[in-house]
Amino acid sequence: MVTETILQQLVLFVPELILTGTFCLILLTGAFTKLRDYGTSTLTLIGSIAAFISVLPTIGVQKSLFAGMIAIDSFAVFFKLFSLVCLIGITLFSLHAGELKLVRTRSAEYYALLVAMTLGMFLMASATHLLMMVLAMELTSLSAYVLAGYTKEAADSSEASLKYILYGAVASGLLLYGISILYGLTGSLHYTTINHVLAVEPLSRVPLALVFVLLLVGFGFKISAVPFHSWTPDVYEGAPITITTFLSVASKAAGFAMLIRFFKLVCVNPVASVEAGYSIPLLPIDWQLLLAVLAVLTMTVGNLVALWQENLKRLLAYSSIAHAGYMLIGVVSFTDKGIASVLVYLVVYLFMNMGAFLVVMVVANKTGSEDIRTYRGLGSRSPFLAIAMTVFLISLTGIPPTAGFIGKLYLFAAALDAQWYWLAFLGVLNSVLALYYYVRIIRNMFLRESESAVPNISLTSGEVLLLGALLVPTLVFGIFFSPIVEIAQKSIVMLGVP
Amino acid sequence: MTIQILGLGILSWITFIPLLGMVAVLCMPKHAHVAMKWTAAVVTLVQVILAAVIYFNFNPTLSGINTLDGMQFVERLTWIDLQSNTSFGRIHIEYFLGIDGLSMPMVLLTALISFIAVFASWNIDKALKGYIAMLLLLDTGMMGVFVALDFFLFYVFWEVMLLPMYFLIGIWGGPRREYAAIKFFLYTLAGSVLMLLAMLALYFSVVVVDPATGEKIHTFNMLAMMNPANYEPNSLLAGIGTTMRAIAYLALFIGFAIKVPIFPFHTWLPDAHVEAPTAISVILAGVLLKMGTYGLLRISYPMFPEMAQQYVVPLAILAAINIIYGALCAMAQRDFKKLIAYSSISHMGIVLLGMCALNSQGMVGAVLQMFNHGTITAMLFLIVGVLYDRAHIRDLDAFGGLALTMPKYTGVTTVAFFAALGLPGLSGFISEAFSFLGAFQNESIRLITIISTVGIILTAAYMLWTLQRVFLGHPHEKWRSLPDVSPRELFTLVPLAVIVIVLGIYPSLMINFMASSLNHLVDIVVRGSIHTTVLQF
């Protein structure tokens, strides 16, 4: 009986199965054939496109699978498609990455781990059971640890990997401790059951507050929120740039998916929320305020520290911390609008952040440096690259007519709508702060001349296409943003939320 | 009144034709300097012609401001329309252009100043392609601000100007250009994000009913935001005189004040002006500063009439500080360009004082002063540019007796200087007189007005002193060989001088076109006159 149900349910689990199959296939190919880089990357692309297509039929489905372990719903589908787009993008990036060329012999491991990480993100986005959530998170994290140290010949890559593991291990440990206390209090690991127990039984504040803080450490680590961010700059700087990009976009998005689903299903009073028409917090602690403080800390610290960075990878690492802070604004308000605004922001962020990293990668390929000084005079040496970078940076700042503005607009609108005025105010002030360091890059590209005779950076057609594919949405969504907003609004449907 | 060319309204053309020019310039080969310059010249000339067409077809009896039928050359299209679904309201953003007596002078000014700026940039050699592209993009942004009637669209245009301006100061500017450029960028962005919050608050408070479906829609339509009946009860900005409304008014005010700039937000201006190349200073002083006061009149005043009334005295005090402090600072300068920059602060103070009057004279004086200051200050910066191009210094004390060697130059300069200090018979006099007259009539700010008039004497003092230092006295040996003003430079200066003289003699050419709108604006602020506009979707 049970087996039969599971087999039936597997139909909806096909995307994950395809990814698992791709993972195995790549490993086997790497071990037993002479197909190296292009072979394995092609397999990755085929696998991810197949997974993408297999996700499409599950749009609109609302179902709980495997005895409530995971949920198939629009929210999960959104993040699945999101991670797949990232995976495809990163695979294409990897083909152009100079630092990976040195280690071509091990490329099977690289692509296999990327696929495994994506599988982890799938499960992170759909987990409705704490155990499943932890497993998914560990799958993503473990793959990421290895990938961060993938170019083990480079000392800072190994250092990045080690730091990542140490921080990650502590964060998972604390998260598990929190989960065990929560289990002790409520007797269940299912989100909905926990929610039910919390709603019915009065539990004392202190252990719940402890649980909450411990869980926040785990989530905060994943989305690199201040004060759990200290691993981010070193890992982002040390890891191969493709992995940095993947971590800063896909992994962060999956962290947000996990965070939002947990709070939405566990910490919101379902009955009262339906009556009121908006989400009513359930816990006896003000977790919204706590998240708001976290958001302010994250964006302010991220922006302030970014001001001083000379290495672009590190600068973008801090900027990505700040962006997590902005997105937390949407989570704090916790209305449907708030969550939709986070999804809008993620889509926008995907294009602009990947674009900025791509430019850094291309420049690093040619010059071997990520230092801001190598960007001097880029405007005259390679106008297209410099203009593309300018658009991405302006979008990251949030100035119209770029997509970044729409993202910020939705976040601040959601905050105002949910009456978080001071949060919106601090948010906009932060985007002014951020302008300074983004413009520093623009200043180096256009306002300063290169110090010595540096060769022009010529782009391959593949790089031009990739840049174009990221540039066009960054501009077009700034003017016609209906599609992303529509998708985001439809994607907030979560299983178990009335 | 609507005029269409090739199926597109004239306002769309006048706004986006520079953008077309920019695309054309970008497609040209790098060294086709002549072609690029002439493209820019032609594009801006077309803009001037379109502005003239608008001027001659403008109906001066219609008032506009908050009535749709009072708006002229209206273009209205749906830009973003998201149907509502569960828990999300409908999102409706319009591409909504139109002008009235308040924006028409600004449209003329923008077209004119942009055209002149192109010719003032004729000597630019460094990365000309980028320069022209940025200049034309800036032009589109400026024009867009003055014709947009949808707040969202307004905001987009407002922000589009930032990046080109940053580059124009930062790449083609003087020695401290990097500092000046980033300072300008940071200041204005700080102002505009505050405006963004106020805009969102207005959006969430204002609701119009779609007559077709009876559905309630939040809107960015500025006209709808001016009608108190459209504010949803219990929404953020509902009611009259609430704290939230005061905060929103303040946020908008800071956003606009930075642009004007109003003391104490003015510190970016001297830096930006001194470092910017001549043509960009001309645009900055001629058009950009007007956006601040335009925003106050277009948005703050009609949307928050009670706040406009309540804060008249503080605003008048700031205006007085602008007038006197700006003049005193100008007097202390040895750098010719910095002097003109501070004189702008002083003259924009007169605009503010006129606005504070809250009566027809004051308001007409203010808007006329916006236009006049645009033309006069553009002349002044061009004049500084002429001298700097020849001597490569701007130190006032280093010159003397130029009247002997450069008679034509001295003639034009004299016209501009006398216009700036408000000599009767030149345009500056009319607008300053109206502003002060209007402000004097308003009893609550009468004392402030009296004090502010000191500014007129100070202005005369520093202008005449400058004239004396540079043009009179014994000529320096060093500057004996300076060539007089060239035909190209005369071509940029003379049209402005003609306008200054003509408007000084016959100001009705301008006043007639704006009186009706400005009277209506005064009505809205003072008597809360409301014309319900039924919005159709």
Side-chain angles (χ1 to χ4, degrees):
Chain A
M1 183 64 199
V2 176
T3 34
E4 200 185 333
T5 340
I6 287 180
L7 281 178
Q8 278 168 358
Q9 288 174 342
L10 276 181
V11 178
L12 289 170
F13 203 59
V14 170
E16 283 86 348
L17 293 178
I18 290 179
L19 284 183
T20 318
T22 316
F23 171 74
C24 300
L25 200 60
I26 294 172
L27 273 191
L28 291 175
T29 316
F32 295 111
T33 67
K34 291 205 164 135
L35 282 178
R36 292 290 179 226
D37 195 38
Y38 285 99
T40 43
S41 58
T42 315
L43 272 180
T44 315
L45 282 178
I46 295 173
S48 43
I49 291 167
F52 195 96
I53 295 167
S54 65
V55 172
L56 295 178
T58 58
I59 292 176
V61 175
Q62 283 228 56
K63 206 161 175 192
S64 179
L65 296 194
F66 312 134
M69 279 289 181
I70 62 167
I72 307 288
D73 51 19
S74 305
F75 186 74
V77 165
F78 174 88
F79 280 97
K80 286 177 190 173
L81 296 179
F82 186 89
S83 347
L84 285 173
V85 171
C86 286
L87 178 62
I88 294 170
I90 294 302
T91 311
L92 294 174
F93 274 31
S94 305
L95 290 175
H96 298 281
E99 36 185 352
L100 298 179
K101 291 211 170 75
L102 306 172
V103 283
R104 278 278 134 90
T105 45
R106 286 185 278 125
S107 62
E109 298 162 28
Y110 173 84
Y111 289 110
L113 285 168
L114 273 182
V115 174
M117 222 172 133
T118 314
L119 178 64
M121 292 169 196
F122 269 46
L123 297 172
M124 272 166 85
S126 40
T128 52
H129 187 277
L130 284 171
L131 209 55
M132 190 67 232
M133 183 192 89
V134 172
L135 285 175
M137 201 172 131
E138 288 302 322
L139 177 57
T140 316
S141 299
L142 285 171
S143 318
Y145 300 153
V146 183
L147 282 173
Y150 177 66
T151 49
K152 62 185 176 193
E153 291 78 6
D156 56 348
S157 184
S158 309
E159 184 194 328
S161 180
L162 189 63
K163 273 192 179 153
Y164 200 9
I165 294 176
L166 290 177
Y167 278 107
V170 173
S172 325
L174 292 174
L175 180 77
L176 278 171
Y177 187 43
I179 289 175
S180 66
I181 300 177
L182 189 61
Y183 181 66
L185 289 171
T186 59
S188 175
L189 290 171
H190 282 287
Y191 285 7
T192 37
T193 322
I194 298 173
N195 180 258
H196 184 71
V197 174
L198 288 175
V200 176
E201 285 178 35
L203 294 169
S204 61
R205 274 173 73 107
V206 180
L208 269 184
L210 183 64
V211 167
F212 187 78
V213 170
L214 290 171
L215 288 178
L216 212 57
V217 176
F219 294 144
F221 167 77
K222 214 61 221 160
I223 61 169
S224 56
V226 176
F228 319 111
H229 69 292
S230 37
W231 60 276
T232 322
D234 288 333
V235 172
Y236 280 19
E237 191 184 344
I241 196 156
T242 47
I243 299 308
T244 306
T245 317
F246 201 50
L247 286 177
S248 76
V249 181
S251 173
K252 191 164 284 197
F256 268 100
M258 193 170 78
L259 174 82
I260 293 173
R261 193 186 284 276
F262 178 81
F263 281 112
K264 193 85 188 169
L265 290 180
V266 176
C267 306
V268 167
N269 189 334
V271 185
S273 297
V274 170
E275 282 165 9
Y278 56 90
S279 305
I280 300 216
L282 180 67
L283 295 184
I285 40 176
D286 194 346
W287 54 266
Q288 276 182 302
L289 183 65
L290 208 58
L291 276 182
V293 173
L294 209 63
V296 171
L297 273 180
T298 306
M299 55 194 180
T300 315
V301 171
N303 280 330
L304 280 180
V305 183
L307 294 178
W308 311 109
Q309 303 308 316
E310 298 290 329
N311 181 303
L312 270 233
K313 236 161 131 188
R314 208 175 171 85
L315 186 148
L316 286 177
Y318 279 108
S319 119
S320 87
I321 294 178
H323 283 275
Y326 299 132
M327 285 186 258
L328 274 175
I329 294 181
V331 180
V332 169
S333 58
F334 230 75
T335 49
D336 285 351
K337 279 181 188 148
I339 292 169
S341 72
V342 177
L343 303 191
V344 170
Y345 202 86
L346 278 171
V347 176
V348 167
Y349 179 71
L350 169 97
F351 292 112
M352 59 191 188
N353 209 44
M354 279 177 86
F357 272 114
L358 179 61
V359 174
V360 174
M361 186 182 93
V362 171
V363 173
N365 279 348
K366 303 283 153 64
T367 62
S369 163
E370 288 142 6
D371 193 283
I372 196 162
R373 279 180 290 269
T374 41
Y375 287 77
R376 285 192 182 157
L378 195 70
S380 52
R381 281 188 283 142
S382 181
F384 178 66
L385 202 59
I387 291 171
M389 186 62 163
T390 307
V391 172
F392 294 133
L393 292 173
I394 286 300
S395 182
L396 283 166
T397 319
I399 296 176
T402 55
F405 168 65
I406 304 304
K408 288 233 166 66
L409 180 82
Y410 269 85
L411 284 177
F412 298 140
L416 280 187
D417 196 42
Q419 304 187 334
W420 284 93
Y421 307 127
W422 59 272
L423 194 57
F425 179 70
L426 291 173
V428 295
L429 282 196
N430 257 289
S431 51
V432 179
L433 201 60
L435 172 77
Y436 186 77
Y437 62 84
Y438 290 130
V439 167
R440 261 185 76 204
I441 306 172
I442 299 179
R443 187 175 69 189
N444 275 289
M445 290 192 302
F446 289 100
L447 272 54
R448 299 214 169 140
E449 303 296 328
S450 37
E451 283 156 345
S452 50
V454 206
N456 289 3
I457 296 180
S458 53
L459 299 173
T460 63
S461 52
E463 284 164 346
V464 173
L465 277 179
L466 259 182
L467 271 176
L470 295 166
L471 194 60
V472 169
T474 308
L475 283 171
V476 170
F477 287 147
I479 299 166
F480 293 105
F481 49 92
S482 321
I484 41 174
V485 175
E486 264 169 8
I487 290 171
Q489 291 186 346
K490 281 180 189 142
S491 301
I492 56 154
V493 180
M494 231 180 271
L495 189 77
V497 175
Chain B
M1 183 75 220
T2 49
I3 297 179
Q4 294 217 323
I5 305 163
L6 298 176
L8 253 181
I10 191 165
L11 291 182
S12 290
W13 277 107
I14 202 172
T15 308
F16 289 107
I17 208 155
L19 206 62
L20 289 180
M22 178 183 126
V23 173
V25 166
L26 287 179
C27 296
M28 287 177 189
K30 206 173 174 182
H31 296 290
H33 281 197
V34 179
M36 287 181 206
K37 284 178 194 165
W38 280 106
T39 311
V42 168
V43 160
T44 45
L45 178 67
V46 172
Q47 225 185 357
V48 172
I49 294 169
L50 290 176
V53 170
I54 288 174
Y55 178 82
F56 288 113
N57 287 289
F58 190 84
N59 180 352
T61 55
L62 293 175
S63 54
I65 306 288
N66 65 351
T67 58
L68 184 56
D69 11 316
M71 287 291 169
Q72 309 188 37
F73 309 103
V74 172
E75 288 171 51
R76 221 170 151 202
L77 298 167
T78 296
W79 175 12
I80 301 283
D81 194 12
L82 283 167
Q83 296 307 322
S84 58
N85 56 25
T86 43
S87 75
F88 296 102
R90 186 165 155 198
I91 298 169
H92 189 97
I93 302 174
E94 287 172 293
Y95 175 76
F96 184 15
L97 308 180
I99 56 171
D100 56 11
L102 173 57
S103 34
M104 199 273 290
M106 296 299 113
V107 170
L108 289 183
L109 185 67
T110 309
L112 187 71
I113 298 291
S114 303
F115 178 64
I116 282 170
V118 169
F119 285 92
S121 325
W122 218 251
N123 286 342
I124 299 268
D125 268 333
K126 181 179 170 188
L128 185 76
K129 190 171 175 175
Y131 180 88
I132 302 267
M134 286 296 123
L135 189 68
L136 292 176
L137 183 60
L138 182 67
D139 190 1
T140 289
M142 295 187 301
M143 195 57 95
V145 164
F146 292 126
V147 298
L149 289 178
D150 186 278
F151 208 152
F152 191 85
L153 191 62
F154 176 91
Y155 189 80
V156 169
F157 281 127
W158 183 278
E159 296 275 278
V160 160
M161 291 176 318
L162 294 184
L163 198 65
M165 206 48 170
Y166 171 78
F167 281 132
L168 287 168
I169 299 176
I171 300 181
W172 292 275
R176 287 169 72 241
R177 55 181 181 264
E178 285 190 11
Y179 170 76
I182 188 68
K183 195 170 178 182
F184 165 80
F185 207 162
L186 284 173
Y187 263 74
T188 24
L189 187 71
S192 44
V193 294
L194 291 178
M195 189 164 91
L196 175 73
L197 288 185
M199 173 179 99
L200 286 171
L202 280 164
Y203 171 76
F204 282 118
S205 309
V206 173
V207 155
V208 291
V209 176
D210 185 347
T213 58
E215 191 183 18
K216 281 181 170 181
I217 308 170
H218 289 295
T219 178
F220 284 108
N221 187 314
M222 284 193 196
L223 306 189
M225 287 175 174
M226 292 172 196
N227 185 350
N230 285 336
Y231 285 76
E232 209 170 23
N234 302 322
S235 64
L236 197 51
L237 299 180
I240 289 172
T242 60
T243 319
M244 267 304 163
R245 280 178 72 83
I247 292 172
Y249 181 75
L250 192 69
L252 278 177
F253 175 75
I254 293 175
F256 296 133
I258 288 173
K259 209 84 171 187
V260 174
I262 301 175
F263 178 88
F265 305 109
H266 66 284
T267 56
W268 64 268
L269 181 104
D271 288 311
H273 267 316
V274 170
E275 300 308 323
T278 302
I280 304 313
S281 290
V282 167
I283 289 187
L284 199 56
V287 183
L288 249 69
L289 305 191
K290 313 300 172 292
M291 284 178 185
T293 41
Y294 175 79
L296 285 172
L297 291 175
R298 167 72 62 205
I299 292 170
S300 300
Y301 267 38
M303 291 182 198
F304 298 89
E306 83 282 15
M307 293 297 156
Q309 267 187 300
Q310 195 175 332
Y311 291 112
V312 144
V313 177
L315 186 58
I317 292 173
L318 289 178
I321 294 176
N322 255 36
I323 296 173
I324 295 171
Y325 172 79
L328 286 174
C329 285
M331 200 180 278
Q333 300 308 319
R334 286 184 60 180
D335 183 326
F336 201 168
K337 214 168 179 187
K338 219 166 188 169
L339 180 139
I340 307 298
Y342 276 109
S343 87
S344 280
I345 297 180
S346 178
H347 282 117
M348 290 308 285
I350 298 177
V351 177
L352 290 174
L353 195 67
M355 285 164 50
C356 291
L358 295 183
N359 51 35
S360 301
Q361 289 97 321
M363 210 66 99
V364 167
V367 179
L368 192 61
Q369 171 76 358
M370 278 158 72
F371 185 86
N372 289 343
H373 176 253
T375 47
I376 297 170
T377 265
M379 277 182 85
L380 293 175
F381 277 111
L382 288 169
I383 284 163
V384 177
V386 168
L387 193 57
Y388 185 72
D389 279 349
R390 285 161 176 69
H392 301 290
I393 55 162
R394 291 187 303 255
D395 188 350
L396 291 168
D397 293 336
F399 295 100
L402 285 186
L404 285 174
T405 49
M406 303 171 76
K408 277 188 254 170
Y409 178 60
T410 311
V412 184
T413 308
T414 316
V415 173
F417 272 37
F418 282 125
L421 63 80
L423 189 80
L426 298 172
S427 63
F429 168 72
I430 311 285
S431 49
E432 287 182 22
F434 268 86
S435 301
F436 280 112
L437 264 179
F440 189 78
Q441 279 175 21
N442 186 337
E443 278 173 27
S444 57
I445 60 168
R446 184 166 289 167
L447 184 65
I448 302 169
T449 312
I450 294 170
I451 295 170
S452 315
T453 47
V454 176
I456 301 179
I457 301 165
L458 293 175
T459 308
Y462 70 76
M463 281 296 178
L464 293 174
W465 191 30
T466 308
L467 207 57
Q468 185 191 338
R469 277 189 286 179
V470 177
F471 296 98
L472 307 181
H474 289 290
H476 279 253
E477 278 310 314
K478 210 170 152 192
W479 312 123
R480 268 198 192 285
S481 56
L482 288 189
D484 204 348
V485 64
S486 71
R488 177 185 63 81
E489 287 159 343
L490 269 184
F491 180 70
T492 59
L493 284 163
V494 168
L496 294 172
V498 170
I499 291 173
V500 165
I501 294 167
V502 169
L503 282 186
I505 298 164
Y506 193 56
S508 307
L509 285 177
M510 220 47 178
I511 293 177
N512 283 353
F513 285 86
M514 52 201 205
S516 159
S517 292
L518 296 180
N519 282 337
H520 185 58
L521 180 59
V522 172
D523 262 5
I524 295 173
V525 177
V526 177
R527 283 182 282 279
S529 148
I530 296 146
H531 292 252
T532 39
T533 308
V534 178
L535 289 167
Q536 308 219 314
F537 288 94

